[in-house]
Amino acid sequence: MAVGARSGQDGPEDRADGARGESVTEDNTSGGGTSSPGGEPDGTGWTGGSGGSGDGADDTGETGGSGAPPRKQRSFWKELPLLIGIALILALLIKTFLVQAFSIPSESMMNTLKKGDRVLVDKLTPWFGSEPERGEVVVFHDPGGWLETAQTPAPNAIQKFLSFIGLMPSAEEKDLIKRVIAVGGDTVSCKEGGKVVLNGKELDETAYLYPGSVPCQDSFGPIKVPQDRIWVMGDNRQNSLDSRFHQELPGGGTVAEDQVVGRAVLVVWPVTRWATLPVPDVFDQPGLDRALPAAAGFAGALPLVLWRRKKRAARHTAE
């Protein structure tokens, strides 16, 4: 679409005779009954005549009634600022409510994510009540004290602006990215050199741990994760300052769910590393949710127990 382009036809103001909307055919009004072929009788009446009605022209020679000129199209250069403004608003809305790009600044998530990778983070589903789940890779704000010693380059004004509207990876220097290992109500622990134990089940993490990395080099737990909080760990366990190393801070190393920006779902840069970030199968093994079924079973059995007691009391009364 060529915005503001001319149609290729001369408008009324460009015609050679300078008359707006006038017909270029000859008008016969001044010579009614002349000897021109258009004024000769043919036995059925005059073709032409003083009224000029034969060619659809009125007394002034104008065609099409008022002869209003077509509206001029807006210049492309006048529309360009408006288009840029709309694009910026859409980018800001997408970054705020849908997805946001983040750059990986460290090696704590290798080889799942490498330093310099760009990932897209889903920010939409949390608006509909979605909560972090075990196995997801999430971006979250610094809970407080996690990044005190981290050195990050200061972005310039242009980078800050492009980051603000979502056209560049986030320049926020207080965000981290880790994998969710446990959620509220879970119990997590690990023996030195052993496997992470979640709700009594050992996790086989070979699918995502950095080659040569052990699940934990130091023992921790068992730790009961408070409700509405999560326990996170990096995939490169020997190079990740995660929940294990912040147990002395408020929250005991856990992260509040409302500090979670969203779930990382896609690696988009570099193009050679395009990949999705699914939840590993180990987090789908039976028994990890045993606490929830036990509570649900107790809640379901309670009415039955009360009903049986009431029935037994009624039988004794009858006897």
Side-chain angles (χ1 to χ4, degrees):
M1 180 180 68
V3 180
R6 299 294 295 273
S7 64
Q9 299 179 354
D10 290 339
E13 67 275 21
D14 296 331
R15 293 178 180 169
D17 58 3
R20 296 178 59 86
E22 293 183 355
S23 173
V24 295
T25 58
E26 181 180 356
D27 189 2
N28 296 321
T29 56
S30 60
T34 64
S35 59
S36 65
E40 292 286 338
D42 61 358
T44 60
W46 290 88
T47 60
S50 62
S53 60
D55 59 359
D58 57 15
D59 292 339
T60 63
E62 293 187 1
T63 60
S66 62
R71 293 183 60 185
K72 294 181 64 177
Q73 294 180 334
R74 190 192 300 255
S75 169
F76 170 76
W77 297 108
K78 292 181 179 180
E79 290 186 348
L80 184 59
L82 177 62
L83 296 175
I84 293 176
I86 294 175
L88 292 179
I89 292 174
L90 289 176
L92 181 59
L93 291 176
I94 290 173
K95 173 249 185 180
T96 303
F97 299 106
L98 298 180
V99 294
Q100 183 177 357
F102 284 84
S103 177
I104 306 304
S106 71
E107 300 176 349
S108 67
M109 285 294 294
M110 288 181 61
N111 274 337
T112 303
L113 299 172
K114 295 184 177 181
K115 186 176 181 178
D117 284 354
R118 265 63 169 177
V119 297
L120 288 184
V121 173
D122 170 25
K123 302 178 70 174
L124 177 63
T125 52
W127 287 90
F128 295 94
S130 175
E131 299 176 351
E133 296 184 3
R134 306 181 194 97
E136 293 181 345
V137 176
V138 297
V139 171
F140 56 95
H141 299 309
D142 183 1
W146 285 39
L147 291 176
E148 286 182 349
T149 60
Q151 298 295 325
T152 55
N156 57 39
I158 296 178
Q159 289 174 326
K160 287 182 178 180
F161 174 73
L162 294 178
S163 173
F164 174 73
I165 62 175
L167 295 182
M168 278 188 66
S170 174
E172 174 62 63
E173 56 182 273
K174 294 297 183 181
D175 289 340
L176 303 96
I177 185 166
K178 305 292 180 187
R179 188 180 298 276
V180 179
I181 301 299
V183 297
D186 289 343
T187 300
V188 60
S189 65
C190 187
K191 297 289 186 181
E192 181 179 355
K195 293 183 178 181
V196 173
V197 179
L198 178 61
N199 294 335
K201 295 288 185 178
E202 290 187 346
L203 299 181
D204 182 2
E205 301 182 278
T206 54
Y208 54 85
L209 282 187
Y210 181 68
S213 181
V214 296
C216 63
Q217 64 270 39
D218 297 316
S219 300
F220 68 86
I223 295 170
K224 181 71 174 292
V225 180
Q227 292 296 329
D228 301 323
R229 302 187 74 88
I230 57 176
W231 178 272
V232 297
M233 300 173 72
D235 290 354
N236 187 3
R237 297 287 163 81
Q238 276 66 57
N239 193 17
S240 177
L241 296 177
D242 46 44
S243 291
R244 297 169 294 165
F245 299 97
H246 300 98
Q247 298 182 52
E248 76 285 355
L249 297 175
T254 61
V255 179
E257 290 182 354
D258 58 11
Q259 293 293 310
V260 176
V261 177
R263 174 187 173 186
V265 294
L266 189 66
V267 181
V268 295
W269 187 262
V271 294
T272 55
R273 285 183 47 76
W274 278 358
T276 59
L277 298 171
V279 174
D281 293 338
V282 65
F283 292 96
D284 294 329
Q285 65 174 303
L288 290 184
D289 288 324
R290 67 177 185 177
L292 180 60
F298 176 77
L302 184 59
L304 179 61
V305 172
L306 294 177
W307 175 78
R308 292 183 63 184
R309 286 186 176 181
K310 184 177 181 181
K311 185 176 181 181
R312 185 179 301 171
R315 187 189 315 154
H316 286 313
T317 303
E319 292 175 352

